[in-house]
Amino acid sequence: MTRRRALAGAAMLGIGAGLDRVLVGSGGGTDEGADAAGSGAAVPFHGAHQAGIATPAQEFLSFAAFDVTSDAREDLRHLLEDWTKAAEALTRGRPYGRLTAEPTQAPLDGGEAIGLGPARLTITVGFGPGLFGSRRRDRFGLARRRPPALRPLPPFSGESLDPRRSGGDLCLQACADDAQVAFHAVHVLAGLAGPTAALRWSQQGFGRTSSTSRAQTTPRNLLGFKDGTENIRAEDTDAMERFVWARRGNSPRWMAGGSYLVARRIRFLFDVWDNTSLEGQQRAIGRYKVSGAPLGGRHEYDPLDLAATEHGEPTIPANAHVRLASPRYNDGQRILRRGYSFAEAAEAGSGQLDAGLFFICFQRDPRRQFIPIQRRLAAADALNRHTRHTGSAIFACPPGTRPGGFLGEALFA
């Protein structure tokens, strides 16, 4: 049953029955004849923090969430060890295992990334609340080690969540400057998951929707607006320490240097948005569409003047997205945004586009950061009539690892 569940999960990724061959056997290493000289430099895998958080955002995303189907603690540990070994190879632009298998054997690596190089691939692993169980059912003996900040997100007004696109015990975030490289990473790691874990849901993304480095320009989302102008940048080390990296005091020791990931699948209602006037769109966002400047300003990086008025009314409307999301309304708290656009098959029968924003953010404590922000947005944001939240998940991403170690190792210490 667990094997069939793993294969069914592979179909969700669009991998198909070919994964049946990948599930046979395990192991690491590289193929001597593989070409890793393709495009894009390699992002170091090892370090104090996992790559894919402060890393300058790449152009493509492959995200996957898994349910752990085994109740054996050692199975979970071995899976994390295997994922770490595979991620080390893949982020260097190398295949996982030999590609030149015997004719009667299936290679561990499907080979779809041969010659594409590292493409700045990063692989980030996270643990969902369900992994830690409860006092009544603590299958891995981890209940007492659950971070206080890692709880299922509360319900928010107006959301319409699909349980088939929400939750998960484990997550993989693969980002790269080549879509096939990102897909390949999740393909290989999903194969290594069976029979310990089965794919629950996945999401492909394109076109980063935030800048995470000062070297990057602000991108546009599928609504046509510049997105993430006031985002934290990796070079802002003080802000990263204050708002992104978990520390002892609000998190257990094993999470120190990690971060909490929140993912939200936000569908854009284009039938409403496309029939909204330019002025209406700009007032809903709080910025000019072309320049990205805040209403009343001239340049993108002009500060938000939330006190400015015109004809006795706020220049930036009271329900404008940028006003309600501003740190000034959340005790100065900020989050590191790292989302992507998505577009999938049109909704059957309606002809409506199923496209929007796969929102990802990292923070030190979602109880003080994402949750209060989202509650305020859900209650009054002008964008609510143009969006629908259809998926949701939260994960604790442990710190990075040293050569010879594995991701999440301190959790098992």
Side-chain angles (χ1 to χ4, degrees), residues 220 224-226 278 282 287-293 298 300:
R220 292 185 185 273
F225 278 78
K226 290 191 173 185
L278 176 60
Q282 292 180 158
R287 290 184 177 274
Y288 297 113
K289 194 165 191 175
V290 176
S291 68
R298 299 182 60 188
E300 178 188 347

Side-chain angles (χ1 to χ4, degrees), residues 35-42 89-94 112-121 176-178 180-182 184:
D35 175 14
S39 62
L90 297 174
T91 54
R92 293 197 306 270
R94 309 292 293 182
E112 66 267 35
I114 296 173
L116 298 181
R120 292 205 307 126
L121 172 68
D177 285 332
D178 187 304
Q180 191 152 315
V181 170
H184 170 252

Side-chain angles (χ1 to χ4, degrees), residues 387-399:
T387 61
R388 181 178 299 136
H389 291 238
T390 60
S392 180
I394 183 171
F395 300 95
C397 299

Side-chain angles (χ1 to χ4, degrees), residues 193-265:
T196 300
L199 188 67
R200 181 181 178 91
W201 57 271
S202 66
Q203 182 67 61
Q204 308 303 309
F206 64 90
R208 59 182 176 85
T209 58
S210 292
S211 299
T212 56
S213 169
R214 292 176 184 166
Q216 295 178 319
T217 58
T218 307
R220 292 185 185 273
N221 57 31
L222 296 186
L223 297 179
F225 278 78
K226 290 191 173 185
D227 205 344
T229 296
E230 294 194 337
N231 198 30
I232 298 173
R233 303 305 201 270
E235 296 88 351
D236 301 332
T237 54
D238 290 343
M240 293 292 293
E241 289 292 335
R242 181 179 176 188
F243 299 116
V244 179
W245 304 125
R247 295 186 295 185
R248 293 181 62 184
N250 73 311
S251 289
R253 178 181 298 178
W254 68 266
M255 263 296 289
S259 191
Y260 295 91
L261 182 160
V262 171
R264 302 280 287 184
R265 188 180 187 274

Side-chain angles (χ1 to χ4, degrees), residues 28-32 95-101 106-109:
T30 59
D31 184 83
E32 296 87 345
Y96 182 61
R98 295 180 60 88
L99 295 173
T100 54
L108 292 172
D109 189 304

Side-chain angles (χ1 to χ4, degrees), residues 28-29 35 43 55 78 85-86 104 134 146-147 176 189 195 230 259 267 292 309-310 348 355 385:
D35 175 14
V43 176
T55 307
H78 290 326
K85 292 176 184 177
T104 57
S134 64
R146 179 207 294 262
L189 297 178
E230 294 194 337
S259 191
R267 181 178 174 180
T309 60
E310 291 182 5
R385 68 187 295 263

Side-chain angles (χ1 to χ4, degrees), residues 101-157:
E102 294 295 326
T104 57
Q105 297 177 343
L108 292 172
D109 189 304
E112 66 267 35
I114 296 173
L116 298 181
R120 292 205 307 126
L121 172 68
T122 56
I123 299 173
T124 311
V125 175
F127 305 146
L131 196 70
F132 296 84
S134 64
R135 292 182 179 179
R136 291 185 177 181
R137 188 171 186 266
D138 186 10
R139 52 181 174 157
F140 302 121
L142 300 175
R144 293 184 178 182
R145 311 204 75 181
R146 179 207 294 262
L150 184 64
R151 300 286 177 181
L153 294 173
F156 298 105
S157 175

